[in-house]
Amino acid sequence: MKLLWVWVVLPFAFAQLVTAFFDFNETELSLIESLEYGVSKINYNPLMVGLTLIHTAGAKGAVCLDGTLPGYHWHRGYGSGANSWLIQLEGGGWCNNIRTCVYRKKTRRGSSTYMEKQIPFTGILSEKAEENPDFFNWNRVKLRYCDGASFTGDSENKGAQLQFRGQRIWLAAMEDLMSKGMRYANQALLSGCSAGGLAAILHCDEFRGLFPRTTRVKCLSDAGLFLDAVDVSGGHTIRSLYSGVVGLQGVQHNLPRICTNHLDPTSCFFPQNVINHIRTPLFILNAAYDSWQIQSSIAPPSADPHGYWHDCRLNHAKCSASQLRYLQGFRTQMLNAIKGFSMSRENGLFINSCFAHCQSERQDTWFADNSPEIRNKPIAIAVGDWYFDRTAVKVVDCPYPCDKTCHNLVFR
């Protein structure tokens, strides 16, 4: 059965959709991530939460690419969740050279000047128990992403007037939130989607270190398992991208030492080389056929000059048998990358065989009447069961096309 998903795109998202259609390249926002603020018909009247700029950040040099102040959206917790904190790190690709970073600093991904003043809180950020059963009454914070290196860089380019201060933004935001009550947390969860999901992995142990040992602290990475994959031309598109990000933005000093002690910095920006060394309990939520990775890492236009992958890239139903075999190989690579990680009793896993990207922030994929499931368990329940130790959660879907609950992304 094919489900057609109807999207009501909020007015402020429309400009981003247009941008995604016409300005897409491997390093900018893909069309997929511009769906982030789409609100499905399930949640047509979402909670809108205002932007708070971090006024103490400027003095610390913790600024966006263009030098403006960073910010977050915070909805206060109440009742049993008054001292529980969920930090969601925003995603949105990376910039890997002067040209793409200069472009980015004129967008919401590089400057708070262009950020929406209010954004909808849906999925894991929803305030409704029927939409977000375990975290609805927590303090829920969305930290905006305006550095282009997954909150890890610390450098600058004076000539191009670019500030690469992701690590400082991370630290300034945590310090600000600690002063606003997070230091009293009895439980906390660091999460993020896409580039924010990668950031949640890279900052997971730092986040744990903010709190006393008595505080329950865990991390969730949604669509952050970017693989060091070979593209369809035999090249290394994503490794080349990451090498640019790490070199340009001075990321190497802020990567986990346990990795950089024996691998090059670019390798340590790939989560597959980091996840086995993280001491804090971590949950990996990922589509086995991650739409962003298919479009931007495996079969980007630059690796497909004759356009053999053009239709398959936009719609999995148009993939040939040999293309599907290639994508099954990608799934196998993903499962191999998490083998060691999944051995830990404390870690969690939900790898569904969908063509999707970012499933925790959208209401229709997080928790709804027909949201994706593995063994009859939707994502929100899987994450909650793992976080509260109700049951161990390590679920891996059978390969495509067996899962009929997917909300697959199709692009026109």
Side-chain angles (χ1 to χ4, degrees):
M1 184 178 70
K2 259 198 156 172
L3 296 173
L4 178 64
W5 288 96
V6 179
W7 289 88
V8 180
V9 180
L10 297 171
F12 57 69
F14 183 71
Q16 299 301 333
L17 270 168
V18 173
T19 301
F21 273 117
F22 295 112
D23 292 324
F24 171 64
N25 66 34
E26 279 86 81
T27 63
E28 290 303 333
L29 250 193
S30 71
L31 176 56
I32 298 157
E33 287 183 328
S34 67
L35 289 174
E36 182 186 351
Y37 293 129
V39 179
S40 72
K41 58 186 177 181
I42 296 160
N43 192 332
Y44 60 89
N45 189 24
L47 174 72
M48 300 299 289
V49 179
L51 176 66
T52 300
L53 294 180
I54 306 170
H55 290 288
T56 54
K60 302 181 173 90
V63 292
C64 298
L65 284 171
D66 70 339
T68 53
L69 292 175
Y72 56 75
H73 304 255
W74 172 29
H75 193 246
R76 284 179 189 269
Y78 64 90
S80 61
N83 285 320
S84 301
W85 289 75
L86 167 69
I87 308 298
Q88 176 87 352
L89 302 178
E90 186 180 33
W94 307 269
C95 65
N96 61 324
N97 55 38
I98 298 297
R99 181 183 61 81
T100 52
C101 291
V102 166
Y103 171 85
R104 192 180 177 98
K105 76 173 181 174
K106 294 289 188 205
T107 74
R108 64 190 171 116
R109 297 285 192 240
S111 169
S112 55
T113 303
Y114 301 97
M115 287 176 188
E116 306 84 351
K117 299 302 177 261
Q118 287 191 315
I119 61 168
F121 268 27
T122 62
I124 197 170
L125 296 173
S126 172
E127 86 291 10
K128 299 183 179 81
E130 64 272 20
E131 294 178 348
N132 188 22
D134 282 308
F135 307 110
F136 71 95
N137 65 348
W138 284 32
N139 291 280
R140 298 166 335 281
V141 178
K142 178 138 188 178
L143 179 57
R144 298 303 295 267
Y145 178 38
C146 65
D147 64 279
S150 289
F151 298 93
T152 59
D154 194 10
S155 181
E156 66 181 331
N157 185 297
K158 289 199 168 94
Q161 296 184 304
L162 287 167
Q163 292 291 320
F164 304 121
R165 303 299 185 188
Q167 179 71 20
R168 296 189 193 197
I169 291 171
W170 156 259
L171 292 170
M174 292 306 104
E175 190 176 315
D176 191 64
L177 292 166
M178 291 296 273
S179 76
K180 289 178 175 172
M182 192 166 75
R183 66 181 180 275
Y184 303 119
N186 51 34
Q187 46 193 10
L189 174 62
L190 176 66
S191 75
C193 150
S194 194
L198 171 58
I201 291 171
L202 295 175
H203 287 296
C204 184
D205 284 341
E206 282 178 76
F207 186 67
R208 161 74 273 186
L210 295 172
F211 303 96
R213 285 170 68 174
T214 50
T215 307
R216 183 199 300 264
V217 182
K218 299 189 181 187
C219 307
L220 162 65
S221 173
D222 175 12
L225 192 60
F226 297 97
L227 299 182
D228 190 2
V230 175
D231 63 43
V232 294
S233 72
H236 292 82
T237 296
I238 193 167
R239 175 165 276 272
S240 168
L241 167 63
Y242 276 9
S243 175
V245 174
V246 169
L248 178 70
Q249 298 220 26
V251 168
Q252 62 272 17
H253 307 296
N254 299 313
L255 294 169
R257 291 274 184 274
I258 196 160
C259 180
T260 53
N261 283 343
H262 65 100
L263 288 177
D264 64 281
T266 300
S267 293
C268 296
F269 204 61
F270 281 101
Q272 67 199 67
N273 298 319
V274 176
I275 53 175
N276 292 355
H277 306 300
I278 291 172
R279 299 182 300 278
T280 309
L282 172 64
F283 192 104
I284 290 179
L285 161 63
N286 229 92
Y289 314 98
D290 185 289
S291 298
W292 189 94
Q293 294 190 67
I294 291 172
Q295 291 193 6
S296 304
S297 169
I298 301 170
S302 58
D304 179 38
H306 301 294
Y308 297 134
W309 279 80
H310 177 267
D311 292 351
C312 173
R313 186 164 54 235
L314 298 177
N315 182 353
H316 63 280
K318 295 183 177 176
C319 296
S320 68
S322 65
Q323 287 170 331
L324 284 174
R325 278 195 299 275
Y326 197 98
L327 296 178
Q328 297 295 13
F330 178 78
R331 172 181 177 270
T332 301
Q333 187 183 345
M334 184 177 291
L335 298 185
N336 286 335
I338 55 174
K339 264 187 182 148
F341 168 86
S342 64
M343 304 295 271
S344 165
R345 195 173 46 83
E346 295 193 307
N347 292 335
L349 205 54
F350 192 104
I351 307 290
N352 55 348
S353 291
C354 303
F355 291 79
H357 186 72
C358 288
Q359 301 180 91
S360 64
E361 298 183 15
R362 277 174 44 186
Q363 196 59 52
D364 65 292
T365 47
W366 175 246
F367 194 63
D369 290 343
N370 51 3
S371 50
E373 297 180 346
I374 302 179
R375 295 176 212 153
N376 299 316
K377 186 172 285 199
I379 295 167
I381 302 304
V383 172
D385 283 352
W386 163 79
Y387 185 85
F388 294 103
D389 299 318
R390 294 191 291 245
T391 176
V393 180
K394 293 201 179 81
V395 285
V396 176
D397 220 345
C398 46
Y400 174 83
C402 70
D403 190 335
K404 305 305 179 199
T405 70
C406 289
H407 293 191
N408 292 316
L409 295 175
V410 174
F411 304 93
R412 303 204 193 291

